[in-house]
Amino acid sequence: MLENSNCVLVREADDFAPCVDYIARTLGRWSGMTIHAVSPKEVADRAPIVKPACLLLYGRQEDILVWRQVGEKQLRAPVIIAIQRSDFFGAQFLETPDLPEPANNLLEATTAEGFANFCLREGNRFAEVRLDLIAAAFWFLSRYEEYVTSPPEPHNRFLASFSIAPPEMYDVPVVNRWFEQLERLWRSLGGETMSEVLPPRARIVLTHDVDLLRKYRGLMGVRRTISAMMRGEAREVEITLRPAEPVAFTEFGAGPPDAALLGRLGLGATA
């Protein structure tokens, strides 16, 4: 429910909304926030009753200017962060394997110093990230280029050497680093309020490796997946672990933990 979200993401309700929403849910799981993605019309209709702790705007420059006014005047969100949308989600989608942004810019944004070069702050409530990290995260997490590119490999495998991304982008968990920079920005703008919204959590998120994406050419696989997401039939499963009580590192010995220690960790012994 929108009313129960502590973060609202405003984006266009176009054909690419499921892709953007997928990254929003991933960011939400990673940060521990409840992020709800909506269209500008939905925000205007629900503005009187929705007051999120953080408002994310994902759009082009002209869209951000309009949506920001709604966020400030109607939603009265204490923190507003805008991320500029590139042309990646557009006419050339699934036509070329290109990165949404220059590789050197994306690498630079993995560090606090580099991220600051793409972040424009206005006061203590608003910041604009002029780098499409939403599309970049989608490019990496969906393995977008593996669907678009046919690799010259006898076993039809996509090797890391085939990627158009430079090798150094695979030496760093770039998506994690971008999320970390966004979280730091949230905390610096929101202060103690964001500390309450972003509690520390230990998380395990199960993922799956999908081989041979190219066999779904003709958009059949992508259309099927996006349609399932839009109908709400696609489900993502996560396991969240939170220790029942703190356990000192010295209590872990060389042998397997006993039942009592497992219980304190909030786990159960299995055969």
Side-chain angles (χ1 to χ4, degrees), residues 96-167:
T96 66
D98 297 340
L99 284 160
E101 300 280 2
N104 58 326
N105 290 350
L106 293 174
L107 270 173
E108 185 179 357
T110 60
T111 67
E113 297 79 8
F115 181 80
N117 294 329
F118 303 98
C119 184
L120 176 65
R121 295 183 55 157
E122 295 182 20
N124 297 321
R125 291 186 54 195
F126 178 81
E128 181 175 342
V129 180
R130 296 184 171 178
L131 195 68
D132 194 347
L133 298 182
I134 298 292
F138 178 84
W139 192 94
F140 274 96
L141 296 182
S142 68
R143 296 309 308 141
Y144 170 84
E145 67 173 339
E146 294 187 29
Y147 179 85
V148 179
T149 305
S150 295
E153 204 271 337
H155 300 289
N156 209 27
R157 296 172 301 183
F158 192 95
L159 306 182
S161 58
F162 299 152
S163 178
I164 65 170

Side-chain angles (χ1 to χ4, degrees), residues 5 56 169 232:
S5 303
L56 292 176
M169 294 199 78

Side-chain angles (χ1 to χ4, degrees), residues 191-268:
E192 295 183 359
T193 300
M194 294 308 294
S195 296
E196 297 175 359
V197 176
L198 293 166
R201 304 177 71 178
R203 309 178 68 81
I204 295 178
V205 179
L206 302 180
T207 61
H208 298 277
D209 178 32
V210 181
D211 295 324
L212 301 177
L213 285 176
R214 295 170 303 286
K215 70 180 180 181
Y216 297 104
R217 282 197 177 278
L219 304 185
M220 290 182 60
V222 174
R223 285 173 177 163
R224 188 183 305 116
T225 301
I226 291 179
S227 296
M229 293 170 67
M230 294 183 71
R231 294 194 304 268
E233 297 174 2
R235 293 289 181 264
E236 295 165 301
V237 180
E238 68 171 292
I239 300 175
T240 301
L241 298 180
R242 306 182 93 175
E245 59 180 280
V247 177
F249 182 76
T250 53
E251 295 189 45
F252 291 92
D258 57 25
L261 181 57
L262 288 173
R264 293 172 60 194
L265 289 169
L267 304 174

Side-chain angles (χ1 to χ4, degrees), residues 29-41:
R29 292 197 310 270
W30 179 88
S31 64
M33 296 181 68
T34 303
I35 301 179
H36 195 99
V38 296
S39 68
K41 184 179 184 303

